[in-house]
């Protein structure tokens, strides 16, 4: 299988990668392509329309496959656009197709190629079995015209139309007569134990003419298709009209099979659709859009109300206690949290590990914040494939300095002296766990022959970015962190902690602390998981950024509230408790991911199941680090201010 990524665009130099990503950002009105009819010699105006094909994926399997793996028609002069790092990590494999046509030139029932499967040929048997597997698991084509997905639009409930950015390669009627997936669209798909191949597509391209607006040519604003199953006699005798029978592939390979692939193209002018808003018809038709808006707004109101209540309680209580403390401090009338002022900054157990977690959490938090902010502004839209992941990886590599600084500063606050161990663990521990998990998942993908398997050169490039840039930057940050003086002192003799009630013990508080933050993200989490595992398009980054900010607020306020109650019970062990209280949200995320797997997905097979939970563990670890970081970070500054 062919996999190309320019090693230099990943490793040399890193800034070129940033600027190459930025130059491809999809902004409305930026760099449209004009098309003209064949025979008109106009500068900067293309005649031929190239249709590209991407990987094929399925909601029943985590394993995507390249287009060339299936026995489809191949392009004799195959071209592959340069893939950025994000596309390779996501397993996108874009290549040219044999479907070529000219602007505004109608094509009817044009043959592309014929694929033959002979009964006695082992290679043909294997190819046909693989094609049947793809139809059985409902694998979907993903075609691209002018950097825009070719969609299959069909009617759903309540007369609404849903535009799917993919269409199936075929469907199946089982041996017991059960009609699966897309076979419901045609009553002729009714033979038991029979596969029906969608070997013909009617493509309709909508364009906006520039004649009325003073620019030359036309711009494509829509591309839809309708898949059909048609049995042709041969390439020279194709018939795509009425009265044709479907292309059947028997479940048992008893005779030779020949599949003729054809296509038709038509063009429609629509000057009401602007080029800048040509994705709207796809996004508006996404399922549950109205429900998502209502649910998110409802969640925001609830979370903001609860956050306001928590903030009001904290401010009033602390203001009252601090007021009493300032009046009666000389009389030594201390009670509750004021009695532990000499022990509240006492170093915790496993301070090295906590400082490492906090350093990594800093790196992930800043990376996530900047990435979501850029996506919110429209710089990382779905039109720029791979830009989101590329931006995240580049930011993570460049943010080694704040990670090393925060980790070293906190470790010195704890009185630690093994600074070399601290820096190495900050640079290697959590990224090493993620890379090991990722590498194992990649081995499974490689064994299964999936297009999502990362090429060896890309793995070397990622390691080079990690050890060549991120690790040195972590050492630089740690150098400045260790130069800072220790900010606080504690009593020489630790204070005795009284017997704690059930609710002030660590575990109940930690378990309860993650409920409120999870409550503000689970709606968005559903749509994010849909975009990852059900291959739906995610585009509401504005809401996601707002939910991200509310998540940080709720993490910090829930942590402060619970740790304040623990200090009132004269328990000053708050370091790990504050980190784990907000970080426990990741446990709820994992539980929800398990629920989503069993209730929403149709994934079958051991490899797909292992891949799902393997990638989920990476998500959970990253989420644990940055939520735990923010809970402890905000708690530290509040307690530093109070005490």
């Amino acid at each position: 299988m062919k996999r190309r990524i320019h090693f230099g665009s990943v490793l040399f130099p890193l800034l070129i990668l940033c600027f190459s990503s930025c130059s491809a950002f999809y902004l409305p009105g930026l760099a449209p392509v004009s098309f003209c009819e064949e025979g008109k010699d106009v500068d900067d105006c293309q005649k031929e329309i190239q249709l590209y094909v991407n990987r094929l994926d399925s909601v029943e399997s985590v394993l995507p496959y390249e287009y060339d793996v299936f026995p489809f028609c191949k392009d004799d002069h195959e071209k592959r656009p340069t893939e950025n790092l994000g596309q390779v990590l996501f397993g996108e494999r874009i290549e040219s197709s044999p479907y070529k046509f000219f602007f505004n030139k109608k094509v009817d029932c044009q043959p592309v190629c014929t694929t033959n499967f002979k009964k006695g040929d082992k290679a043909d048997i294997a190819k046909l079995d693989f094609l049947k597997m793809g139809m059985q698991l409902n694998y979907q084509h993903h075609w691209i015209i002018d950097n825009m997905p070719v969609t299959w639009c069909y009617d759903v409930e309540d007369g609404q139309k849903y535009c799917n950015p993919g269409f199936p390669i075929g469907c199946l009627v089982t041996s017991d007569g059960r009609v699966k997936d897309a076979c419901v669209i045609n009553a002729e798909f009714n033979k038991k134990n029979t596969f029906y191949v969608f070997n013909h597509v009617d493509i309709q391209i909508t364009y906006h003419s520039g004649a009325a607006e003073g620019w030359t040519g036309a711009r494509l604003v829509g591309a839809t298709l309708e898949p059909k199953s048609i049995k042709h006699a041969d390439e020279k005798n194709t018939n795509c009209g009425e009265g044709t029978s479907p292309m059947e592939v028997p479940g048992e390979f008893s005779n030779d099979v020949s599949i003729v692939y054809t296509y038709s193209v038509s063009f429609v002018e629509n000057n009401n659709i602007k080029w800048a808003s040509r994705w709207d018809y796809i996004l508006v038709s996404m399922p549950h859009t109205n429900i998502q808006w209502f649910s998110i707004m409802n969640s925001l109101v609830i979370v903001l109300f609860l956050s306001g209540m928590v903030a009001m309680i904290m401010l009033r209580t602390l203001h009252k206690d601090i007021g009493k403390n300032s009046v009666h401090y000389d009389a030594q009338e201390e009670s509750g949290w004021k009695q532990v002022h000499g022990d509240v900054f006492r170093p915790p157990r496993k301070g090295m590990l906590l400082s490492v977690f906090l350093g990594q959490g800093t790196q992930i938090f800043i990376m996530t914040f900047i990435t979501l902010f850029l996506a919110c502004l429209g710089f990382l839209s779905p039109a720029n494939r791979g830009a989101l992941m590329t931006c995240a990886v580049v930011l993570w590599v460049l943010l080694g300095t704040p990670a090393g600084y925060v980790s070293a500063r906190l470790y010195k606050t704890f009185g630690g002296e093994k600074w070399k161990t601290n820096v190495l663990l900050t640079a290697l521990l959590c990224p090493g766990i993620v890379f090991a998990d990722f590498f194992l998942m990649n081995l499974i993908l490689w064994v299964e022959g999936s297009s999502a398997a990362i090429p060896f050169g890309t793995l070397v490039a990622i390691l080079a970015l990690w050890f060549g840039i991120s690790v040195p930057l972590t050492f630089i940050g740690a150098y400045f962190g260790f130069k800072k003086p220790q900010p606080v002192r504690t009593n020489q003799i630790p204070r005795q902690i009284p017997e704690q009630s059930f609710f002030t013990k660590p575990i109940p508080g930690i378990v309860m602390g993650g409920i409120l933050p999870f409550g503000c993200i689970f709606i968005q989490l559903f749509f994010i998981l849909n975009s990852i595992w059900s291959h739906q398009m995610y585009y509401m980054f504005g809401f996601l950024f707002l939910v991200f900010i509310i998540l940080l607020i709720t993490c910090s306020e829930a942590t402060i509230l619970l740790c304040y109650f623990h200090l009132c019970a004269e328990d000053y062990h708050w370091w790990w408790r504050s980190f784990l209280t907000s970080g426990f949200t990741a446990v709820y995320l994992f539980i929800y991911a398990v629920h989503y797997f069993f209730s929403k997905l149709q994934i079958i097979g051991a490899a797909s199941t292992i891949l799902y939970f393997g990638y989920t563990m990476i998500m959970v670890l990253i989420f644990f680090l940055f939520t735990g970081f923010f809970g402890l970070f905000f708690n530290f500054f509040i307690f530093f201010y109070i005490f």
Side-chain angles (χ1 to χ4, degrees), residues 89 434-442 454 459 462 615 618:
L89 293 178
V434 172
F435 185 82
D437 188 330
F438 184 78
F439 184 76
L440 290 175
M441 298 303 104
N442 197 61
I454 307 301
L459 289 176
I462 293 173
Y615 288 129
I618 294 177

Side-chain angles (χ1 to χ4, degrees), residues 499-521:
E499 184 70 22
Q500 299 293 305
S501 66
F502 174 78
F503 293 102
T504 56
K505 289 181 179 179
I507 294 180
I510 291 172
V511 172
M512 290 187 296
I515 296 176
L516 184 60
F518 178 75
C520 77
I521 66 166

Side-chain angles (χ1 to χ4, degrees), residues 175-396:
S175 55
D176 58 356
R178 184 165 55 92
V179 179
K180 286 191 63 179
D181 303 318
C183 278
V184 299
I185 65 175
N186 193 333
E188 294 184 13
F189 300 163
N190 51 26
K191 285 188 179 181
K192 296 182 179 180
N193 194 25
T194 302
F195 295 87
Y196 293 91
V197 182
F198 291 137
N199 59 328
H200 175 82
V201 287
D202 287 328
I203 304 173
Q204 184 182 76
I205 298 178
T206 306
Y207 65 92
H208 181 110
S209 177
E213 300 184 19
W215 43 269
T216 306
R219 295 169 183 171
L220 308 187
V221 294
T224 60
L225 60 75
E226 182 182 355
K228 294 181 179 179
S229 179
I230 300 175
K231 184 174 179 59
H232 302 288
D234 52 53
E235 286 191 36
K236 297 181 180 179
N237 298 290
T238 58
N239 179 18
C240 303
E242 298 294 333
T244 57
S245 57
M247 181 63 226
E248 301 174 354
V249 177
E252 297 180 359
F253 194 7
S254 55
N255 297 306
D256 294 348
V257 176
S258 295
I259 303 176
V260 179
Y261 288 90
T262 57
Y263 70 97
S264 300
V265 180
S266 61
F267 291 83
V268 176
E269 181 178 350
N270 188 343
N271 295 327
N272 295 323
I273 303 176
K274 303 297 183 182
W275 186 89
S277 58
R278 62 180 186 163
W279 284 68
D280 289 358
Y281 80 98
I282 304 174
L283 305 182
V284 170
S285 73
M286 299 300 285
H288 312 300
T289 302
N290 295 330
I291 297 175
Q292 184 180 9
W293 279 82
F294 174 78
S295 301
I296 291 175
M297 293 303 298
N298 186 51
S299 177
L300 291 178
V301 171
I302 294 174
V303 171
L304 287 174
F305 174 75
L306 293 176
S307 301
M309 291 295 293
V310 171
M312 184 178 65
I313 292 171
M314 286 299 304
L315 290 174
R316 291 189 62 182
T317 305
L318 286 176
H319 180 74
K320 185 178 179 180
D321 283 351
I322 292 173
K324 287 182 179 180
N325 189 30
S326 62
V327 174
H328 301 289
Y329 186 78
D330 294 335
Q332 296 295 317
E333 293 182 3
E334 295 184 351
S335 62
W337 61 270
K338 295 187 286 290
Q339 293 184 351
V340 297
H341 65 86
D343 297 276
V344 73
F345 289 107
R346 187 172 300 282
R349 297 177 182 178
K350 307 293 183 182
M352 170 82 78
L353 184 62
L354 181 61
S355 63
V356 169
F357 281 173
L358 197 69
Q360 279 297 315
T362 305
Q363 192 172 7
I364 294 170
F365 165 71
I366 300 175
M367 174 200 74
T368 307
F369 180 85
I370 296 176
T371 302
L372 289 181
F373 183 72
L374 292 175
C376 181
L377 294 178
F379 288 100
L380 306 176
S381 79
N384 186 20
R385 295 173 177 83
L388 194 72
M389 179 61 79
T390 303
C391 180
V393 172
V394 170
L395 286 173
W396 182 86

Side-chain angles (χ1 to χ4, degrees), residues 541-597:
F541 291 106
F543 272 108
L544 182 60
F545 185 73
L546 184 59
V547 170
F548 175 76
I549 298 300
I550 293 177
L551 170 66
L552 300 181
I553 295 172
T554 51
C555 280
S556 58
E557 290 180 343
T559 303
I560 291 170
L561 186 63
L562 290 171
C563 288
Y564 171 74
F565 290 152
H566 294 140
L567 290 181
C568 288
E570 302 179 24
D571 183 356
Y572 51 82
H573 294 310
W574 64 274
W575 288 100
W576 273 108
R577 184 173 293 167
S578 61
F579 187 88
L580 295 176
T581 297
S582 54
F584 201 80
T585 310
V587 177
Y588 291 108
L589 186 150
F590 178 74
I591 295 172
Y592 183 82
V594 174
H595 164 73
Y596 180 85
F597 177 82

